[in-house]
Amino acid sequence: MFDAGLEDEINGDYCTLLNKTKDNEFLNKLWPEGGEEKNVETQMDNVEELDNDVLEEHPIFNPQVHCKKQVPILGMRFENPKQLKSMLCNYAVKNGYQLWFEKNDNKRLLVLCCKGACTFRLWASWMSTEHNFQIKSLKSKHQCARNYKMGSIVNYRWIGSHYTKEILRRQKLTIRQLRLEVIKKFGIEVSINQCRRAKQYAMNIIEGTLIEHYAKLWSYGEEIRRSNPGSTVNMDVLTMPDGTNHFSKYYVCFDGVKKGWLEGCKRVIGIDGYFLKGYVTGELLCAVGKDARDQIYPISWAVVCVENKENWKWFLSLLSDDLNLGMGQCFTLMSTQHKGLMEAVKELLPRAEHRKCARHIVANFSKKFPGAQFVNLFWVACNATKEQYFKEIMKDIELMSPEASNYLIEKDPRTWSRAYYQVG
C-alpha cells in the first residue's frame, strides 16, 4: 500500500519520491530500483517496452460510448492525454470516485484515488511504436465509498462540454438551473461559480462552431449555383485592419423562384425584416409575393447585421435585378414604416405603388391611443373603398381625439387606405 504520510511530499523531486516508495509494488514498476538516477524520458521508454509484444490486442477508446459506460482498461489507447482525462472524469462521476491526477503533463499521467488512500492506481504514457497515449499499468479495484464531492477532477470544462447542446437549445438557461440539472442528472455537488464558468466555456465552444459554419457559406453559395443554375447568391464581408474577413450580409434568390414569380404570380411584393434572436443576432430580410390563389410565395431572403437604409438599398437592388422591376412601374410594394426602407424605395423604385402594412400602423396607433373604439374605427377607415366614406370615418375619429386623427393623417392615408388604391 502507498504510504499515506507521503501525501505532502509526493510533489517533491524525483529522487525523494523514489527513496520513499521502494516498498510500493505499483510504483516500483514505474521507477525501478537502481544505483543511478534516470531522467523521466528514459523511464517512459522502459515502461512502454512492457506492452510492445501485444499491441494488437489493446483496444482503442471509442468516444461515442455513453459516458456512464466508459471504464479504464489496461492497454487501452487514446488520441491524447486530454481524451483519457475526459474518460476518467466520466468514470469518476458515474461511480463516485475521488480520482486525483498526481502526475499530469503532456507525457505522462499518474492517477490515484482518494490521494492514495484507495488501492486504485493508473499510469499512462505515450507509446514508442505509434502515436497513441496508452494505459500502461492499472489497479482497477477500489476500497473507497461513493463520494458526492468530486474535487478538482470535475471542473467547469467537463460540465460545459456535457451541456453545450443544451445551452445552445435553451438560450435562457440560468446558472442556478444549470447547477440543479447537474446535481439531478449526475448526482454530484457543483458550485455556482463552476456553472457560471461552464456556461461561458460552452458559449465559447458554440461561438467557435458557428465561426466554422460561417466559413462554409462560400461553399454553400457555390452548391446553390451548381444545383440550380441561374440562382443569385451574393455575400459581402468586412475586411478588418488585420486582414481577417468578418461576415456582413448574405442574399439568396433561387432561379426557379424567380421564374415562378415572373410567369404566374400577381405583381405584389411584400418586404419586411425580422430579428434573429438566437446566439447569432442580426436581421433577416425577406421578400414574398402572392400566387394565383392568393397564397404566400417566397421570393428571396437575406441576412444582414442591422436593418438600415444601406442594407435595404443593397437588398432591393439585388431583388430588382432578379425580377426585372426597373423603376418600379406596374407593381405594388407592401412594407413596414421603417424610415431606411422607405428612403431606399424612393431612390430605387420611385414609380412603384408603395403601400404600408396596416397591422403595423394600428399596433403603434393603439399604443398612443388605447381603446377598442379607436382600433375599430381605424379598420373601418382602412377598408373604406370610397374617398368620401373614408373622410366621414376620419371626422368621427377627430371628434373623439383630434390628436388621433392628425396621427393617422401624418401616416399618409394614400399608403394604407383602400379608398386611395389605384385600380387596373
Side-chain angles (χ1 to χ4, degrees):
M1 293 292 294
F2 186 74
D3 187 359
L6 297 179
E7 178 176 345
D8 297 332
E9 300 175 330
I10 194 69
N11 291 323
D13 59 37
Y14 168 71
C15 295
T16 303
L17 180 63
L18 180 62
N19 293 332
K20 294 190 176 184
T21 55
K22 291 182 178 179
D23 298 331
N24 190 305
E25 179 182 356
F26 177 80
L27 292 178
N28 282 339
K29 293 181 179 180
L30 307 182
W31 297 296
E33 296 186 23
E36 58 184 39
E37 299 176 2
K38 299 181 179 181
N39 57 40
V40 176
E41 293 183 359
T42 304
Q43 296 164 28
M44 297 302 157
D45 293 337
N46 292 337
V47 174
E48 289 168 352
E49 291 175 359
L50 298 175
D51 299 313
N52 283 344
D53 296 335
V54 289
L55 287 176
E56 64 277 2
E57 300 179 4
H58 298 320
I60 298 177
F61 174 71
N62 181 11
Q64 300 302 323
V65 174
H66 194 275
C67 61
K68 293 185 178 181
K69 296 182 180 180
Q70 296 178 6
V71 293
I73 300 174
L74 181 62
M76 180 174 281
R77 293 172 286 173
F78 299 82
E79 294 180 2
N80 47 51
K82 182 179 179 181
Q83 190 180 52
L84 172 56
K85 287 186 284 186
S86 176
M87 185 275 288
L88 290 173
C89 286
N90 295 331
Y91 170 69
V93 170
K94 168 61 172 62
N95 300 280
Y97 298 140
Q98 283 191 306
L99 299 186
W100 177 265
F101 297 147
E102 189 67 30
K103 293 292 181 180
N104 180 15
D105 54 39
N106 293 330
K107 297 182 179 180
R108 58 183 180 172
L109 182 65
L110 173 60
V111 185
L112 309 178
C113 184
C114 300
K115 295 187 179 181
C118 178
T119 58
F120 179 88
R121 302 286 192 280
L122 183 147
W123 170 265
S125 62
W126 289 101
M127 300 176 63
S128 59
T129 56
E130 57 183 90
H131 191 72
N132 281 320
F133 198 75
Q134 186 182 39
I135 299 176
K136 299 295 183 61
S137 300
L138 176 65
K139 287 186 177 181
S140 58
K141 292 184 179 181
H142 289 265
Q143 293 180 339
C144 57
R146 182 179 181 89
N147 197 308
Y148 295 97
K149 294 183 178 180
M150 292 291 101
S152 61
I153 193 170
V154 173
N155 53 29
Y156 70 91
R157 295 185 183 89
W158 183 87
I159 301 173
S161 61
H162 276 267
Y163 279 88
T164 300
K165 293 182 179 179
E166 186 69 13
I167 291 173
L168 177 60
R169 185 177 66 87
R170 298 167 57 188
Q171 296 288 322
K172 296 184 179 180
L173 180 66
T174 64
I175 297 173
R176 295 185 182 276
Q177 289 174 341
L178 176 60
R179 178 174 179 269
L180 293 176
E181 291 195 9
V182 173
I183 294 174
K184 182 178 179 180
K185 181 177 180 179
F186 297 103
I188 59 175
E189 295 183 11
V190 293
S191 66
I192 289 292
N193 188 48
Q194 280 181 311
C195 293
R196 180 180 295 107
R197 298 179 68 184
K199 185 174 182 180
Q200 183 61 45
Y201 177 77
M203 296 303 286
N204 291 336
I205 294 176
I206 295 170
E207 182 179 6
T209 302
L210 292 173
I211 290 175
E212 294 175 358
H213 288 179
Y214 269 84
K216 296 179 181 179
L217 286 176
W218 300 105
S219 300
Y220 173 63
E222 291 300 323
E223 181 62 21
I224 291 176
R225 297 187 186 98
R226 184 198 65 80
S227 59
N228 194 349
S231 299
T232 302
V233 179
N234 189 298
M235 180 174 176
D236 277 6
V237 296
L238 297 176
T239 303
M240 309 307 292
D242 58 357
T244 59
N245 293 327
H246 288 189
F247 174 83
S248 177
K249 39 188 176 281
Y250 200 84
Y251 173 91
V252 175
C253 182
F254 296 101
D255 182 67
V257 171
K258 290 188 285 185
K259 293 178 179 178
W261 188 86
L262 292 171
E263 295 176 3
C265 289
K266 298 180 178 180
R267 292 300 179 262
V268 178
I269 297 177
I271 56 177
D272 198 0
Y274 309 88
F275 289 103
L276 299 176
K277 298 182 179 180
Y279 182 75
V280 179
T281 58
E283 292 273 349
L284 175 65
L285 308 184
C286 294
V288 297
K290 294 180 68 176
D291 61 16
R293 297 182 179 181
D294 285 337
Q295 302 298 313
I296 294 177
Y297 185 88
I299 300 174
S300 64
W301 57 270
V303 176
V304 297
C305 297
V306 65
E307 185 179 4
N308 55 23
K309 179 182 177 180
E310 179 183 354
N311 287 333
W312 273 120
K313 286 182 64 176
W314 173 79
F315 179 76
L316 290 175
S317 176
L318 293 171
L319 180 66
S320 179
D321 293 341
D322 285 332
L323 303 182
N324 301 321
L325 299 181
M327 300 296 290
Q329 57 272 18
C330 301
F331 92 98
T332 300
L333 186 67
M334 297 288 296
S335 72
T336 61
Q337 304 173 74
H338 190 275
K339 293 182 179 179
L341 172 57
M342 297 179 67
E343 292 297 323
V345 171
K346 290 180 181 178
E347 293 184 17
L348 298 177
L349 304 170
R351 297 184 182 180
E353 188 175 351
H354 192 184
R355 302 298 181 184
K356 298 177 184 176
C357 177
R359 187 183 65 81
H360 286 83
I361 295 176
V362 73
N364 296 328
F365 178 63
S366 59
K367 291 178 182 179
K368 291 191 174 184
F369 305 97
Q373 193 170 7
F374 280 115
V375 174
N376 292 335
L377 287 174
F378 169 82
W379 284 116
V380 173
C382 181
N383 293 319
T385 56
K386 294 183 179 181
E387 185 177 354
Q388 182 178 358
Y389 184 41
F390 169 80
K391 291 181 179 179
E392 292 177 358
I393 302 302
M394 292 302 297
K395 287 182 180 180
D396 293 339
I397 297 176
E398 185 177 5
L399 292 175
M400 294 176 57
S401 172
E403 292 80 7
S405 176
N406 293 334
Y407 177 86
L408 294 177
I409 294 298
E410 290 176 357
K411 299 300 178 183
D412 191 1
R414 293 176 298 178
T415 63
W416 55 267
S417 177
R418 288 186 178 182
Y420 296 95
Y421 281 13
Q422 297 177 7
V423 180

